[in-house]
Amino acid sequence: MKRNFTLLLLTMVCFLTAMAQKTDAMLFGDVKSKNTGEHIPFVTIQVKGTSFKTVSDATGHFKLAHLPLGTQKVEAKVLGYKPQEIVVVMEANKATEVYFVLEDDAKDLSQVVVTGTRTQHFIKDVPIRTEVVTSKALTNKNALNLFDALEGVPGVRVEQQCQACNFTMVRMQGLGAEHTQVLVDGEPIYSGLAGVYGLQQMGVDDLDRIEVVKGAGSALYGSSAVAGAINLISKEPTFEPSLKADVQMGNWGHKSFNLSGSIRNENIGLSVFAQRLMSDAIDKTGVGLTRQEVKQKDGVSDRVETRLNNLGFNLYFYSPFTRNDKLVLRGKAMSEDRAGGVMADDLYLNPFSEGTEQIKTNRLSADLTYTLPIGSRSELNLSLAYVHHKRNATNDTFLTSYKKTHKDPVTNEPISPDVESMRPYLARENSFTPSVTFSTKLGRHNLLVGAQAYTTQLRETGKYAVVDPESSYYGQDYTSISKKHATEVGFFLQDEWNVMPNLSIVPGLRVDTHKSGEEYSSDKKVFDAAFPKTKFNETSVNPRIAVKYEATQNLILRANVGTGFRAPYGFSEDLHLCSGSPRVWKSSDLKAEKSVSFNLSADYYGKNFQLSANLFRTNLQNKIQFTDQISDQVRNLGYTYQWENVDDAYVQGLELGAKVNLLHNLKAGLNWTFNQGKFKNIRAEWAETAFAKDSRNISRFPGMTGDFNLEYTPGTWTFTLYGNLQGNMYIDYNAEEAENSKIKKTNTFTLWNLRVAKQVNSKITIYGGGKNIFSYIQDEKHIDDAAFMYAPVFGATWYAGVTVKI
């Protein structure tokens, strides 16, 4: 069957490729800047509505051959300049000349985006509203990883979830990481294990930009895109060879080394990058009910010690098999060691000591993409991606459980296990993601059809002890083995219908089949009943429709509505807890979450300013929640936590934004969001407490957020100031002593970051800055609930560095 499918696909490709006609209609010309009159190199020149395109050379000149005959619109576009269209008439066996003169684009509207529709659009023209973090913004933020990069994006919140290991999470419009699909060049290869520490492990030096699409994303990207998608777009090599080195030092042992380079000719391009990050463990705060109390050190790390390495390459082949096709090979390798715990006598460096967490991560990824133009108006895209992820982690779960269940018969003091019986948690995950899309232009319709699959296998082992005092196996240590797997196959269809020049309607549909399961076993008998297997089999149909209306040349209105789903697999909390044991129960009766999302937005583009408003709401059915309130039946099976469908819920809000060029060298931006998120009913675990009413609020969803940025570029200087406001929100505190548990309503606070850079010459830039420069810390801290974090737990970090470009 597979062989026949492959032969059929190859036959179709050969047939469609043969449809391309050689007309000998040639186009020549150049591209200049309107302001300076100088030629602009490396500008993309494309015949609109077709796959014919090229890039101007280092002198700003270009040529195109065998173009479609008749009247054609030719467009020149490059970042930093407004695109320009020129109408030409192409004739067989004849050369036509065209000359472009481009204006500067102070508002970055020439930015091309792809995530919202899987097709290229200028950011002003895209039917699905898209936020972009440019490579320049990444530099001005001093973003060294994805966590830094996403700070300050409207509607997006990055946060730490664990005081012990610094587990991080991204939230979009109030929904957690499990509702947000992170893509790498359009593919969902951000695997389950990566979802725990990946925000801090993924470097950004190789990124051209980050695209953020909020709202219903399941119609294009499948499960987990309920809240939207974050797409990391890699840099493409340029014709101008480049080499960049960056060295940065800071307080608390911060060291950063980055090296990148690229080179390209007509047929091949290569970019490479390497990163080394180091930071020491920090202890600046302790347990307390007031900020003054929290400022007292407790001898336990607030930030873990990290040693991170990233390496990678992007290899591009241009026209390797036929005219204008493209083959891309990418590879990345990452390794990280992190350690935290008791700081005295460097005890945290002993992986098996009490209170210590050490995590070693290794990740390899490889992907291949192939783009084949078919005729003048169609394109075939193939993609294959593979990820291998390993984790070796130790915490004191086994040590404390063993000491709790083993006492000296004379002194009644806890007995520690034999050191040779200690073992780390080990996890290996292998994921594979193939996809194929075909797009074609038929009159006013741009059709897109595709299929995407995702399969993953996760194997885990861990050392545990039976702590149930009523069990006949009480105190028995054992090695737990888990086998988890998931397969998801989706088919999608989309039509970009340009009804009128100022009106586009984009209906879409995706059908997904999800199958997953989990199986646990142990190296010895420790429970009378076998651990039950769990399995899930779900088919989901998710439609979406989007509308873009250009009310005037400056005012763009957009609306979209769509459904989504979240399969009950790959929860980051499971993997954060090192659940190689049956610690987290997921019943086979657990239902997939369903959602309906609505977005309505307006963007006004003035001469020197831009205003935006975005109204959103997502209704969730069967919301899945993590809890330690489990039934006796589940506890008797050996589980200590469980996932359950707690209730229906909703999140909604209004995002307001403004960007303004105050002067030719002074830019400012302000975003303000009003949020609300609630469950339909009071959560059961809080029903009989004073916090019953507060429990209806979606945890960790601020009622208001704000972001401010100011950029001043006098001459060769760049001054950048970022501010972030977080309003009141509700957060659970699950204390070891149940009577001390509560739901806290946090206070509003602001955080400020600053960066100053000086371009010494065309090759050297020196810079310095700080994050959380006013050293704000949260005003209450408890270590018996490691997830009780809602603000920084240590003060300002300062840095200085130098960048050399050749």
Side-chain angles (χ1 to χ4, degrees):
M1 183 68 181
K2 291 182 178 179
R3 180 182 178 187
N4 293 336
F5 177 79
T6 302
L7 291 174
L8 178 62
L9 179 63
L10 290 174
T11 302
M12 182 184 73
V13 169
C14 294
F15 173 74
L16 293 173
T17 304
M19 292 172 59
Q21 298 179 355
K22 291 189 175 183
T23 63
D24 283 330
M26 313 291 286
L27 186 70
F28 298 88
D30 64 16
V31 188
K32 292 183 178 180
S33 167
K34 182 176 181 179
N35 290 351
T36 66
E38 297 180 355
H39 282 96
I40 306 174
F42 318 129
V43 179
T44 299
I45 312 297
Q46 182 167 16
V47 180
K48 293 198 71 175
T50 77
S51 58
F52 290 93
K53 63 181 178 180
T54 188
V55 176
S56 64
D57 61 21
T59 68
H61 293 79
F62 66 89
K63 63 179 180 179
L64 278 166
H66 305 297
L67 300 186
L69 304 181
T71 302
Q72 306 292 339
K73 291 181 180 179
V74 183
E75 181 180 56
K77 57 185 178 182
V78 66
L79 193 61
Y81 294 88
K82 296 179 182 179
Q84 183 183 8
E85 285 185 15
I86 295 179
V87 177
V88 297
V89 178
M90 303 305 302
E91 300 179 19
N93 304 311
K94 183 177 179 180
T96 302
E97 296 181 357
V98 63
Y99 302 98
F100 292 95
V101 180
L102 304 186
E103 297 182 47
D104 289 348
D105 177 24
K107 292 180 289 185
D108 293 329
L109 299 183
S110 60
Q111 178 70 64
V112 175
V113 294
V114 297
T115 308
T117 60
R118 286 184 178 262
T119 54
Q120 289 191 355
H121 290 277
F122 290 116
I123 192 168
K124 182 181 176 181
D125 300 330
V126 64
I128 310 295
R129 194 168 187 273
T130 304
E131 312 269 0
V132 176
V133 183
T134 65
S135 58
K136 180 181 178 182
L138 294 175
T139 299
N140 289 341
K141 286 183 173 186
N142 196 54
L144 300 177
N145 53 44
L146 188 54
F147 185 94
D148 295 339
L150 293 176
E151 286 186 312
V153 176
V156 176
R157 183 171 177 266
V158 286
E159 62 184 35
Q160 288 197 356
Q161 286 267 302
C162 181
Q163 300 175 53
C165 67
N166 297 169
F167 159 45
T168 56
M169 178 181 286
V170 59
R171 295 181 182 272
M172 188 179 290
Q173 294 184 334
L175 300 178
E178 65 275 10
H179 298 101
T180 303
Q181 186 71 273
V182 178
L183 309 165
V184 180
D185 293 303
E187 299 301 323
I189 62 175
Y190 188 77
S191 61
L193 280 173
V196 183
Y197 304 108
L199 292 179
Q200 295 169 313
Q201 293 171 339
M202 298 184 72
V204 297
D205 204 44
D206 64 318
L207 298 185
D208 175 70
R209 64 189 185 277
I210 300 173
E211 298 181 11
V212 179
V213 176
K214 290 168 283 189
S218 292
L220 276 184
Y221 296 108
S223 178
S224 301
V226 169
I230 297 171
N231 196 4
L232 315 181
I233 309 294
S234 301
K235 290 178 181 177
E236 187 164 343
T238 63
F239 282 100
E240 185 176 9
S242 66
L243 181 64
K244 184 180 78 171
D246 181 271
V247 177
Q248 185 180 122
M249 303 288 180
N251 59 338
W252 291 327
H254 168 69
K255 299 180 182 66
S256 169
F257 307 93
N258 287 275
L259 181 66
S260 62
S262 74
I263 190 171
R264 176 184 169 180
N265 60 23
E266 286 292 329
N267 302 112
I268 191 170
L270 173 67
S271 64
V272 295
F273 61 92
Q275 179 187 51
R276 170 73 168 168
L277 288 179
M278 295 179 284
S279 59
D280 293 342
I282 299 173
D283 171 30
K284 286 294 179 181
T285 56
V287 174
L289 296 176
T290 66
R291 183 169 287 106
Q292 199 59 38
E293 292 177 357
V294 171
K295 286 183 177 179
Q296 307 305 309
K297 299 179 182 180
D298 61 1
V300 179
S301 61
D302 301 316
R303 186 186 76 179
V304 297
E305 176 183 292
T306 57
R307 301 291 185 266
L308 172 69
N309 298 300
N310 273 304
L311 295 169
F313 71 91
N314 301 300
L315 182 60
Y316 288 70
F317 298 93
Y318 301 94
S319 301
F321 307 116
T322 186
R323 180 169 51 86
N324 288 333
D325 66 336
K326 182 165 68 175
L327 177 66
V328 183
L329 302 175
R330 298 187 180 95
K332 294 182 180 180
M334 182 277 296
S335 66
E336 186 201 52
D337 294 346
R338 60 173 61 197
V342 178
M343 303 283 285
D345 297 324
D346 292 331
L347 187 62
Y348 72 97
L349 296 178
N350 178 355
F352 295 109
S353 60
E354 192 164 353
T356 293
E357 287 210 33
Q358 285 198 12
I359 300 100
K360 300 179 185 295
T361 305
N362 296 96
R363 177 182 168 95
L364 297 173
S365 66
D367 63 275
L368 175 154
T369 61
Y370 178 63
T371 302
L372 174 66
I374 299 172
S376 62
R377 301 181 184 275
S378 303
E379 190 174 89
L380 180 69
N381 288 276
L382 303 174
S383 177
L384 300 171
Y386 170 75
V387 175
H388 175 67
H389 197 118
K390 291 169 53 180
R391 187 193 298 167
N392 177 324
T394 58
N395 58 31
D396 61 3
T397 299
F398 173 63
L399 176 64
T400 54
S401 295
Y402 191 94
K403 292 172 71 173
K404 180 180 178 181
T405 57
H406 293 75
K407 306 287 184 180
D408 186 284
V410 177
T411 64
N412 201 36
E413 291 294 319
I415 298 175
S416 295
D418 183 352
V419 67
E420 294 199 3
S421 71
M422 308 281 275
R423 292 291 185 275
Y425 160 84
L426 300 174
R428 292 175 181 266
E429 181 183 45
N430 292 285
S431 303
F432 183 60
T433 310
S435 67
V436 56
T437 61
F438 176 76
S439 60
T440 187
K441 182 175 175 62
L442 297 174
R444 295 181 180 180
H445 298 266
N446 292 316
L447 299 178
L448 176 75
V449 295
Q452 186 177 65
Y454 173 76
T455 180
T456 182
Q457 290 189 337
L458 176 63
R459 299 292 182 265
E460 304 167 287
T461 60
K463 192 80 172 183
Y464 299 90
V466 179
V467 296
D468 183 1
E470 297 183 3
S471 171
S472 59
Y473 303 96
Y474 179 72
Q476 179 68 58
D477 64 285
Y478 66 98
T479 297
S480 175
I481 303 124
S482 79
K483 298 179 181 180
K484 303 177 182 179
H485 64 88
T487 299
E488 193 168 287
V489 179
F491 300 90
F492 52 89
L493 170 68
Q494 177 183 270
D495 176 22
E496 292 184 51
W497 178 24
N498 298 310
V499 183
M500 297 186 294
N502 64 340
L503 176 63
S504 298
I505 299 177
V506 186
L509 178 73
R510 176 161 172 151
V511 180
D512 283 276
T513 298
H514 172 94
K515 296 181 179 180
S516 61
E518 301 184 6
E519 177 182 350
Y520 293 99
S521 60
S522 58
D523 65 336
K524 61 185 70 172
K525 187 176 179 62
V526 289
F527 296 101
D528 291 326
F531 299 127
K533 298 180 181 179
T534 61
K535 62 180 180 180
F536 307 95
N537 192 335
E538 181 85 17
T539 297
S540 179
V541 179
N542 293 287
R544 181 184 71 175
I545 186 166
V547 178
K548 182 186 75 98
Y549 178 62
E550 190 172 336
T552 69
Q553 186 176 0
N554 296 326
L555 178 61
I556 308 296
L557 305 177
R558 296 179 178 89
N560 74 79
V561 59
T563 66
F565 81 106
R566 173 200 177 194
Y569 177 83
F571 299 108
S572 55
E573 275 294 347
D574 293 4
L575 302 172
H576 168 226
L577 287 168
C578 300
S579 61
S581 75
R583 299 178 64 196
V584 186
W585 168 244
K586 289 192 288 291
S587 167
S588 295
D589 295 329
L590 198 64
K591 300 175 183 177
E593 286 184 359
K594 304 288 186 178
S595 70
V596 180
S597 296
F598 310 85
N599 281 79
L600 179 64
S601 66
D603 292 272
Y604 184 83
Y605 302 89
K607 182 177 180 180
N608 294 308
F609 67 92
Q610 178 184 342
L611 302 175
S612 63
N614 181 40
L615 187 67
F616 67 88
R617 180 181 173 100
T618 297
N619 296 325
L620 289 174
Q621 182 183 7
N622 301 321
K623 188 176 190 310
I624 301 172
Q625 192 89 354
F626 181 77
T627 179
D628 60 358
Q629 305 296 314
I630 62 176
S631 66
D632 291 338
Q633 179 183 5
V634 173
R635 183 176 285 104
N636 290 338
L637 290 172
Y639 296 87
T640 51
Y641 306 93
Q642 76 176 38
W643 290 98
E644 60 181 0
N645 297 109
V646 292
D647 200 0
D648 296 344
Y650 72 86
V651 292
Q652 63 185 14
L654 174 64
E655 299 173 357
L656 302 174
K659 298 178 183 179
V660 59
N661 298 328
L662 300 170
L663 300 170
H664 76 280
N665 58 3
L666 180 62
K667 299 179 181 180
L670 177 65
N671 297 289
W672 209 267
T673 305
F674 301 93
N675 302 308
Q676 185 185 54
K678 288 185 179 293
F679 290 102
K680 183 178 179 180
N681 301 291
I682 292 170
R683 284 187 280 158
E685 65 266 34
W686 299 100
E688 303 300 324
T689 72
F691 306 100
K693 183 178 178 181
D694 290 342
S695 73
R696 285 196 60 210
N697 295 284
I698 299 290
S699 186
R700 298 179 177 273
F701 189 25
M704 177 179 63
T705 60
D707 298 288
F708 170 78
N709 65 82
L710 185 69
E711 181 183 313
Y712 181 46
T713 55
T716 56
W717 289 88
T718 299
F719 298 86
T720 309
L721 177 68
Y722 283 93
N724 172 263
L725 177 143
Q726 180 175 292
N728 307 123
M729 71 178 185
Y730 295 88
I731 180 171
D732 294 1
Y733 167 47
N734 295 299
E736 286 185 356
E737 302 295 332
E739 61 270 18
N740 295 327
S741 296
K742 66 179 181 178
I743 297 178
K744 178 181 174 66
K745 183 179 181 180
T746 66
N747 296 318
T748 299
F749 64 88
T750 59
L751 302 175
W752 295 90
N753 302 333
L754 175 69
R755 186 179 187 271
V756 178
K758 165 67 175 177
Q759 186 175 339
V760 179
N761 53 42
S762 60
K763 297 181 179 179
I764 299 175
T765 299
I766 56 175
Y767 62 89
K771 298 188 176 184
N772 189 18
I773 58 177
F774 298 115
S775 293
Y776 183 87
I777 60 172
Q778 67 183 49
D779 57 3
E780 183 177 345
K781 185 178 177 183
H782 305 279
I783 60 173
D784 57 346
D785 181 0
F788 188 74
M789 295 186 71
Y790 53 90
V793 290
F794 56 88
T797 57
W798 303 96
Y799 61 87
V802 58
T803 301
V804 179
K805 296 181 180 179
I806 301 175

